[in-house]
Amino acid sequence: MGETAVTLPRRRFWVPLMLVVVFVVFAKFDVHYHIIGWFRGDAYYRGLPTTYWRDSAMLQFKGLPPWRETLHRWTRMPLPVKEDRFPLFRGDPDAVPVLLQLATDQALDEDIRCYAIRGIAFPLDRLQGGLADDAKVVLQRCLGDAKREIRFAAAQVLLRFDEDVETSANVMLEIIRQQLKDASPNERIRATSRLSILGH
């Protein structure tokens, strides 16, 4: 009975201390990104999973959503670094697996997905290579996406590499037709400029 009285206060002390240590490790070293990435089957770039790059791209181009600002204020968990020259879309071939995952992420912002789709082409342009099979599959899937700009970006990349030429051209033409019929003058101007891209 004397032993129980001695060990109980120790447990009460060690359990909260261990919880604090675990929280600090998670917050300081971005361990949560690796755990989420492991569960999601994320690709890695520069030692960090797609989940990290997704948050980082959103921070870079869209800013923090309100709920993240509140969470950061309360927990002080580090945010992905905001960089002047965001590396993910700079044409590094090692980034392509992450870009492919971002391109098909339906929950991700449409603009970021378009950056990812176009980013797939940059390293290939530089290396003068063709599209890999996994890139073709992802881009072909994007041709059927519900969002118009995703379809256009995917068709444009496929057309650039002479892949699915007829399907890609038809997708682009259909989108251009829709924009030409749009009530907004800006959309019609954009459609006209896209016709020149398609002609080129």
Side-chain angles (χ1 to χ4, degrees):
M1 191 165 178
E3 281 182 28
T4 308
V6 172
T7 56
L8 193 57
R10 287 182 187 167
R11 280 189 197 152
R12 284 183 183 162
F13 171 76
W14 282 109
V15 170
L17 180 64
M18 289 306 294
L19 289 173
V20 168
V21 168
V22 167
F23 178 79
V24 168
V25 168
F26 269 64
K28 184 72 176 166
F29 300 106
D30 293 330
V31 176
H32 60 290
Y33 283 118
H34 294 283
I35 291 171
I36 295 166
W38 180 75
F39 276 110
R40 289 177 44 150
D42 279 359
Y44 272 72
Y45 173 58
R46 292 188 174 185
L48 292 161
T50 302
T51 303
Y52 169 87
W53 291 107
R54 181 185 195 276
D55 279 3
S56 189
M58 285 297 293
L59 174 66
Q60 187 78 20
F61 298 102
K62 300 292 178 178
L64 278 178
W67 71 269
R68 285 292 302 272
E69 284 181 10
T70 304
L71 181 66
H72 177 65
R73 206 175 302 121
W74 284 97
T75 63
R76 294 291 174 206
M77 288 178 79
L79 297 167
V81 178
K82 194 167 184 178
E83 303 180 43
D84 291 335
R85 293 167 55 87
F86 189 62
L88 192 63
F89 304 133
R90 301 296 303 171
D92 187 346
D94 294 338
V96 171
V98 168
L99 294 173
L100 292 174
Q101 288 187 334
L102 292 178
T104 54
D105 187 345
Q106 297 290 329
L108 185 58
D109 180 83
E110 185 177 357
D111 290 336
I112 306 296
R113 289 181 67 197
C114 285
Y115 291 142
I117 289 168
R118 293 186 185 105
I120 292 164
F122 292 154
L124 302 176
D125 282 344
R126 204 170 60 189
L127 298 170
Q128 295 182 342
L131 283 172
D133 289 339
D134 55 347
K136 283 182 208 170
V137 168
V138 165
L139 292 169
Q140 286 164 347
R141 194 182 318 154
C142 289
L143 287 178
D145 198 89
K147 294 180 178 174
R148 182 175 75 185
E149 293 306 312
I150 302 298
R151 294 196 306 274
F152 193 91
Q156 195 174 5
V157 172
L158 285 166
L159 209 56
R160 185 183 301 175
F161 291 97
D162 291 325
E163 299 286 348
D164 291 330
V165 173
E166 189 176 345
T167 307
S168 299
N170 286 335
V171 166
M172 290 173 80
L173 273 171
E174 181 56 35
I175 291 167
I176 290 167
R177 280 193 200 104
Q178 289 171 5
Q179 286 182 297
L180 285 169
K181 293 175 186 174
D182 199 288
S184 164
N186 289 337
E187 284 294 301
R188 294 201 298 274
I189 291 166
R190 197 170 177 207
T192 307
S193 67
R194 283 180 161 181
L195 269 173
S196 65
I197 292 169
L198 187 55
H200 178 70

